[in-house]
Amino acid sequence: LPISTLSTRAKMLPFTSSILATARSVSNRPAFSHVPYRTTRTFRTASILLQEGAVASWYDTGLRLAEPEGVAQPEVPEASSTVCSWYDTGVRLTATEPTKQSEPVKEAPPKSLPTPPLEGPPAFAKLDVRVGKIVEAWEHPDSDKLWCEKIDVGEPEPRQIASGIRRWYPTADTLEGKNVLVVCNLKAAKLGGVASNGMVLCVSSGDKEVVEFVEPPADAPAGERVICSGDFEMDVPASPNQVKKKKLLEKACEELKAVDNVATYRGLPLTTASGPCTTPTVSIGTIS
């Protein structure tokens, strides 16, 4: 590299003036022939090590770098994301921060959805609702709201049942001989101190002003089980304890309705072998 060219081109690098002054001496030229090369390699290595994203451009100096004979290239530490472009007239060095290798994101295992409980038979399918016939009725001794009845439900002895219907059936003769529907698999209880072993189903109008018995067909025999029409499948009646524990009666009553004077469960008529059960004067109402 000619010293005159080096002197002219290196004016932009003041810090090399002392080196160039020494290099002008003819006797020192062999010793300093490798200085530009070493200087360039030093800046390149420093740029890579500092990793500050700085750009060092030697293009404007016009320096052409040549490796002197016998001078080995210094090894430069490798750095990630470092670009070194060697131009014919200079060196452009670019150093960037090393890329941090991100840890793989661990995907959370999919949450298992809770298994919905298997739906059993509908509540009404587990009730033992039978055709009954009131054979005797008398006033409750301690309540002006209750009637006590003896009802034939197809068993050896009539069942004793207490019903709170005296407001709508004021005398015993309005009860005796009536065909009714009786829920027979309830736990025995006492109403006002009188034993009651079952419940008679009644329909109520929307304003509760009318309450009357749900009536089976006149020729339906006492003791016949009442079912739902269509494809509705009845089940073996639950025990009294199960009816109470699972609240089967309450659940069934939520869906027992009078529709066009017909007793229904989920829209299906309650029926016997002789025909559907009816609500004589209540067209639309609830059954309990």
Side-chain angles (χ1 to χ4, degrees), residues 89-101:
T89 57
V91 180
R92 183 177 296 275
L93 304 178
T94 303
T96 60
E97 293 185 3
T99 304
K100 295 182 180 180
Q101 188 173 6

Side-chain angles (χ1 to χ4, degrees), residues 47-285:
S47 174
I48 294 172
L49 291 177
L50 291 175
Q51 295 293 308
E52 294 179 348
V55 177
S57 177
W58 288 65
Y59 182 84
D60 292 334
T61 64
L63 295 178
R64 181 179 300 278
L65 304 180
E67 183 176 352
E69 295 183 3
V71 179
Q73 269 194 0
E75 293 187 4
V76 180
E78 293 189 3
S80 60
S81 303
T82 302
V83 180
C84 297
S85 301
W86 290 79
Y87 292 89
D88 184 50
T89 57
V91 180
R92 183 177 296 275
L93 304 178
T94 303
T96 60
E97 293 185 3
T99 304
K100 295 182 180 180
Q101 188 173 6
S102 59
E103 297 182 358
V105 179
K106 296 182 180 179
E107 294 185 2
K111 294 182 179 180
S112 57
L113 298 176
T115 304
L118 296 177
E119 184 178 355
F124 186 81
K126 301 292 289 182
L127 294 181
D128 183 12
V129 181
R130 302 183 207 168
V131 175
K133 186 168 185 171
I134 301 176
V135 295
E136 184 182 356
W138 68 95
E139 294 179 357
H140 191 285
D142 299 320
S143 173
D144 57 1
K145 296 181 180 180
L146 296 173
W147 281 110
C148 299
E149 309 112 10
K150 291 283 188 179
I151 305 177
D152 179 9
V153 291
E155 296 173 342
E157 296 293 332
R159 290 198 182 199
Q160 179 172 297
I161 296 175
S163 304
I165 53 176
R166 278 178 69 175
R167 174 184 170 187
W168 298 278
Y169 293 88
T171 60
D173 59 350
T174 58
L175 299 176
E176 293 174 348
K178 285 279 190 181
N179 290 332
V180 294
L181 300 188
V182 180
V183 183
C184 294
N185 56 340
L186 302 180
K187 291 190 73 172
K190 286 189 176 183
L191 297 181
V194 175
S196 181
N197 190 18
M199 187 181 81
V200 179
L201 289 180
C202 294
V203 61
S204 303
S205 61
D207 56 8
K208 306 298 182 183
E209 290 299 317
V210 179
V211 175
E212 63 184 12
F213 294 128
V214 179
E215 296 183 2
D219 54 350
E224 180 181 356
R225 189 179 183 189
V226 176
I227 63 173
C228 283
S229 63
D231 296 331
F232 190 92
E233 294 186 6
M234 300 298 291
D235 201 359
V236 177
S239 68
N241 284 334
Q242 289 176 324
V243 172
K244 181 177 181 180
K245 181 178 180 180
K246 298 182 179 180
K247 299 183 178 180
L248 295 178
L249 178 61
E250 293 83 350
K251 292 178 181 179
C253 287
E254 291 175 358
E255 300 181 277
L256 283 169
K257 310 290 182 184
V259 179
D260 295 332
N261 299 101
V262 175
T264 67
Y265 177 74
R266 294 187 176 181
L268 298 174
L270 304 187
T271 187
T272 67
S274 302
C277 302
T278 61
T279 55
T281 66
V282 179
S283 176
I284 302 296

Side-chain angles (χ1 to χ4, degrees), residues 25-45:
S25 174
V26 175
S27 60
N28 291 332
R29 286 183 183 180
F32 282 87
S33 62
H34 66 282
V35 169
Y37 173 80
R38 292 290 190 185
T39 303
T40 301
R41 299 299 292 182
T42 300
F43 276 109
R44 179 176 181 273
T45 302

